[in-house]
Amino acid sequence: MARHHQDRSGHDSPVIVWFREDLRLGDHPALHDAAATGRPVICVWVLDEKTGRAPGGAARWFLAGALESLRDDLAHHDVPLAILSGDAQTLITDLARRCKAGDVFWNDRVEPDQAAQDDRIEKALEQDDIAVHRSMAMLLRRPGVLKTNGGKHYQVFGAYWRAAGSAGDPPDPLPAPRKLQGARLPHLDANIILDPASLRPSHPDWAGGLAETWEPTEDAATERLAHFARHELSDYDGRRDDLAAGGTSRLSADLRHGLISPRQVWQATQSTRARASGFLSELGWREFSYDTLARTPDLASSNLRDRFDHVKWRRAPAELKAWQQGRTGVPIVDAAMRQLWQTGWMHNRARMIVASFLVKHLLIDWRAGEQWFWDTLVDADPANNPVNWQWVAGSGIEATPFFRIFNPVLQAGKFDRSGEYVRTFVPEIAKLPDRALQTPWEQPDDVLSRAGITLDKTYPRPIVDLKGGRERALEAYKNTEPA
């Protein structure tokens, strides 16, 4: 969507590009259209923590690097980037007035609060006779475009994705502007200027592993996408669930913060499209999740299925903390939770395993897990994160049945057959033989002794009996109907 208005300020008036979840120069419709005007450009990004969901700690770390990189990339074109903090409506409208901008360009957001704010800002700017131009860049299609023959939103992913396939391919991505002309920023109050470095944790600085794992720049994201498409995509379906193989794309953080666009990802898959259907369906799930978020403001806080409002979740802070710290005594769960803490990322299969363990074996509210992921994932996404947690819990759209409870030992046997994943992240049990690695609590003393393990000292016993936890979860689900 774009709306074009008569320029009120003359051909030389500057234009503003408001960056959001699109921290790149390539395939950036707002920047592309602004550059096409031939007029001086001012770029701005705003941290507005009162509108939409404020980013968690790991996402803020990633965001800091992405903003610094974007600022440097724009500086090569002599275009300033104002990085601000505060109420976006006040800051954007004030900046537009003070620099006498004729036009403001942005790519729309989807979170309901943010989308509503965009509408308010557009109205305020138009009252000042400042033209607003809006595009969609964070998704292949706008939420709500795909509907059933009856005009309803899709509730089942398979039907949604088939409809998307019938709707045709998305447009090709746009190239980065070759030429940009920068405009001088007006004087800005120091109280609203944000130093991206301030987004990084400092007391304590727990993000050392993030810096070793991620390079949050557009160039690095483009290289990650190209490497995946050339070397790993063709075997994606065969390796995606191997926890130690690294067969996933690891593009989720780049997509979340807009270092690459979904259209760029789509285009990169086309040479092997027939073999990329599994990977593309993951991109489709992201689209489906945002389609759900757009009409569900409380997606991260309320069950989509009312029946789950009657689940009697346990208050077990010690068990929750053990889960967070990777000290549950169940190796595959602990490996995944430590991977999350150390790298800010977790393999998708592992996410399902640890979520099922928390919600079902421990019977702890899915919202506690969703919040932990929100704070510790560099790719913490306001749509995917709660949709996936509700999927595991059984409380959401296209949800897995509640009685489907992953046995973590069996899952480890399928997806960490060599034990490499567990040995990497739970080194204190690494000397156990393969047959004993996933169940140290079942091993005789001599096996533990040879591996240097003393249960409850060097490694904990399980905080829950797996069979008993499963039965407790099933019983709790039976009692979810209102009295």
Side-chain angles (χ1 to χ4, degrees):
M1 178 176 70
R3 300 180 183 181
H4 301 277
H5 302 270
Q6 184 68 35
D7 173 16
R8 70 175 178 87
S9 303
H11 180 73
D12 293 330
S13 66
V15 300
I16 291 175
V17 178
W18 181 12
F19 283 80
R20 292 96 85 75
E21 288 89 355
D22 47 13
L23 305 180
R24 62 182 183 273
L25 304 189
D27 196 29
H28 196 293
L31 183 65
H32 180 274
D33 293 347
T37 67
R39 287 152 55 197
V41 176
I42 291 174
C43 296
V44 60
W45 183 88
V46 178
L47 177 66
D48 183 346
E49 298 190 275
K50 294 184 178 180
T51 304
R53 195 173 183 188
R60 291 167 75 94
W61 178 91
F62 196 97
L63 183 59
L67 286 169
E68 290 169 344
S69 175
L70 176 64
R71 183 175 59 191
D72 292 344
D73 290 345
L74 288 169
H76 290 154
H77 295 273
D78 294 322
V79 175
L81 174 65
I83 302 174
L84 309 178
S85 177
D87 175 70
Q89 180 168 341
T90 300
L91 295 175
I92 295 298
T93 54
D94 182 63
L95 180 63
R97 292 164 184 159
R98 293 182 60 199
C99 67
K100 295 183 171 58
D103 301 77
V104 176
F105 296 79
W106 70 62
N107 299 318
D108 278 341
R109 299 173 292 182
V110 175
E111 275 192 82
D113 286 351
Q114 293 177 336
Q117 184 187 61
D118 286 353
D119 292 341
R120 293 194 301 271
I121 294 173
E122 179 182 24
K123 183 176 181 180
L125 290 170
E126 289 185 332
Q127 287 175 348
D128 286 344
D129 200 23
I130 300 172
V132 175
H133 310 267
R134 301 171 62 166
S135 306
M136 174 52 66
M138 65 180 296
L139 298 171
L140 298 175
R141 293 178 180 82
R142 285 188 175 276
V145 168
L146 297 177
K147 292 185 178 179
T148 67
N149 292 335
K152 296 182 179 180
H153 294 282
Y154 282 98
Q155 303 294 313
V156 177
F157 171 67
Y160 172 87
W161 196 228
R162 285 191 296 273
S166 299
D169 289 348
D172 289 338
L174 298 166
R178 291 185 177 181
K179 184 178 180 181
L180 286 168
Q181 178 185 355
R184 179 176 295 181
L185 280 171
H187 174 74
L188 298 171
D189 188 328
N191 292 328
I192 65 171
I193 297 175
L194 176 70
D195 180 357
S198 68
L199 294 170
R200 297 189 177 98
S202 57
H203 301 294
D205 179 4
W206 49 263
L210 305 189
E212 295 173 5
T213 307
W214 304 101
E215 182 183 352
T217 69
E218 181 178 2
D219 285 346
T222 302
E223 290 177 8
R224 281 190 285 270
L225 173 58
H227 178 85
F228 173 72
R230 285 195 304 264
H231 302 292
E232 298 169 354
L233 178 60
S234 62
D235 195 28
Y236 176 80
D237 288 348
R239 300 174 71 234
R240 60 184 293 190
D241 281 327
D242 187 333
L243 293 172
T248 61
S249 72
R250 294 202 176 210
L251 296 171
S252 53
D254 299 322
L255 280 166
R256 166 66 184 100
H257 298 282
L259 300 183
I260 54 173
S261 76
R263 296 195 303 200
Q264 290 171 321
V265 175
W266 183 273
Q267 184 184 64
T269 67
Q270 297 313 293
S271 62
T272 56
R273 185 168 176 179
R275 290 176 289 171
S277 59
F279 174 71
L280 288 176
S281 71
E282 296 297 324
L283 195 62
W285 181 261
R286 179 177 182 269
E287 299 276 315
F288 183 60
S289 297
Y290 270 100
D291 193 79
T292 303
L293 173 64
R295 62 181 189 276
T296 316
D298 57 351
L299 184 61
S301 58
S302 298
N303 298 307
L304 295 186
R305 298 187 180 190
D306 292 346
R307 178 175 184 176
F308 283 80
D309 291 342
H310 303 283
V311 173
K312 294 182 179 180
W313 302 109
R314 297 174 61 240
R315 291 185 59 84
E319 293 176 21
L320 175 61
K321 186 175 182 179
W323 176 83
Q324 292 170 340
Q325 295 181 342
R327 297 285 298 169
T328 68
V330 180
I332 194 66
V333 173
D334 293 343
M337 297 305 296
R338 295 184 196 186
Q339 180 186 36
L340 172 61
W341 184 253
Q342 293 172 26
T343 71
W345 184 85
M346 186 192 295
H347 191 289
N348 186 60
R349 170 59 60 174
R351 296 187 196 202
M352 290 189 282
I353 294 170
V354 302
S356 178
F357 182 82
L358 180 76
V359 174
K360 296 176 180 177
H361 281 102
L362 298 183
L363 200 62
I364 292 176
D365 195 330
W366 64 265
R367 282 160 282 219
E370 195 277 342
Q371 181 59 53
W372 183 251
F373 271 28
W374 181 257
D375 198 44
T376 54
L377 282 169
V378 291
D379 64 13
D381 183 290
N384 275 21
N385 200 45
V387 163
N388 289 345
W389 273 94
Q390 293 218 46
W391 181 86
V392 171
S395 62
I397 196 168
E398 178 82 356
T400 182
F402 189 85
F403 55 78
R404 184 184 178 190
I405 300 174
F406 287 154
N407 182 314
V409 175
L410 295 181
Q411 291 285 306
K414 291 180 180 179
F415 305 118
D416 187 32
R417 293 180 181 177
S418 70
E420 181 182 349
Y421 183 72
V422 163
R423 288 189 171 96
T424 297
F425 293 103
V426 193
E428 64 266 39
I429 63 171
K431 293 182 180 179
L432 281 171
D434 289 351
R435 60 178 173 75
L437 182 65
Q438 305 295 349
T439 55
W441 67 92
E442 293 181 351
Q443 306 312 314
D445 290 344
D446 62 325
V447 172
L448 295 174
S449 179
R450 285 195 296 270
I453 298 170
T454 303
L455 292 179
D456 291 333
K457 290 186 178 180
T458 60
Y459 188 69
R461 297 178 191 273
I463 59 175
V464 63
D465 174 73
L466 295 180
K467 181 179 179 181
R470 182 181 188 279
E471 292 173 350
R472 178 176 60 191
L474 293 175
E475 187 63 29
Y477 179 66
K478 291 177 184 178
N479 296 324
T480 57
E481 291 291 357

